[in-house]
Amino acid sequence: VADDGANGADPTPGNNSASDTTPVDAAPDLSLTKSDGGASTTPGGTVAYTLGYSNTGNQGATGAVLTETVPANTTWNAGASTAGWACTPNGNAGSTCTLALGALAAGGAPGSATFAVTVDSPVPAGVTQVSNTAGVADDGANGPDPTPANNTASDTTPVDAAPDLALTKSDGGVSTTPGGTVAYTLGYSNA
């Protein structure tokens, strides 16, 4: 506050201004969905997961990253995935894959990315599905996420696999007489 000085100088100008700081309770609120679109697959098939991410909070997020782990009995399929994924150590089962998203505006439009894997062929006995979980996180610079439970999402894809047994039997073309022995060779396989 000030006057025109017509009546003299203010003897205590140090109290002519004041300030106050009001905290703003704001934080990013990231969320993630994951879907294979209801697909099922076979050994050697590719499963493409759509990851839907958003920031429904009231403050922007910085340094946002999607994280995936390549599921058992699969390998990462870079060609069917969104460009930019990096998998360490090598894209095989158990590898950790990340996709940098950068800044996500508060209340902004949701985004999506694709993460794809190829199912091993053949698969071990008893394998009937591929289960996969993904997560989204930011660098924490704008405060903690108020609902971290929705920062991960999972999906399970059925794997249609079955053994295909085959058997052949041969006596080698021999003939025998009463009291003779016949040896049969049984050839078996799982195609």
Side-chain angles (χ1 to χ4, degrees):
V1 65
D3 65 6
D4 62 7
N7 296 308
D10 188 323
T12 53
N15 67 359
N16 290 9
S17 63
S19 62
D20 192 11
T21 301
T22 304
V24 176
D25 294 328
D29 185 4
L30 303 180
S31 63
L32 183 67
T33 60
K34 181 175 189 127
S35 176
D36 63 7
S40 62
T41 190
T42 57
T46 297
V47 181
Y49 296 99
T50 300
L51 305 172
Y53 57 87
S54 62
N55 177 4
T56 58
N58 53 11
Q59 186 168 30
T62 55
V65 175
L66 290 173
T67 303
E68 282 273 6
T69 300
V70 179
N73 304 301
T74 69
T75 55
W76 173 54
N77 186 323
S81 299
T82 298
W85 284 98
C87 294
T88 55
N90 54 17
N92 290 334
S95 294
T96 300
C97 303
T98 57
L99 177 65
L101 303 174
L104 297 177
S112 68
T114 301
F115 181 78
V117 295
T118 299
V119 179
D120 294 346
S121 181
V123 292
V127 174
T128 60
Q129 62 188 17
V130 172
S131 296
N132 188 239
T133 300
V136 64
D138 66 359
D139 59 14
N142 298 300
D145 190 311
T147 54
N150 66 0
N151 292 12
T152 60
S154 300
D155 198 3
T156 300
T157 305
V159 176
D160 297 326
D164 183 7
L165 302 179
L167 181 66
T168 61
K169 183 175 185 174
S170 173
D171 63 7
V174 300
S175 61
T176 189
T177 58
T181 301
V182 178
Y184 293 100
T185 301
L186 304 175
Y188 55 90
S189 64
N190 178 1

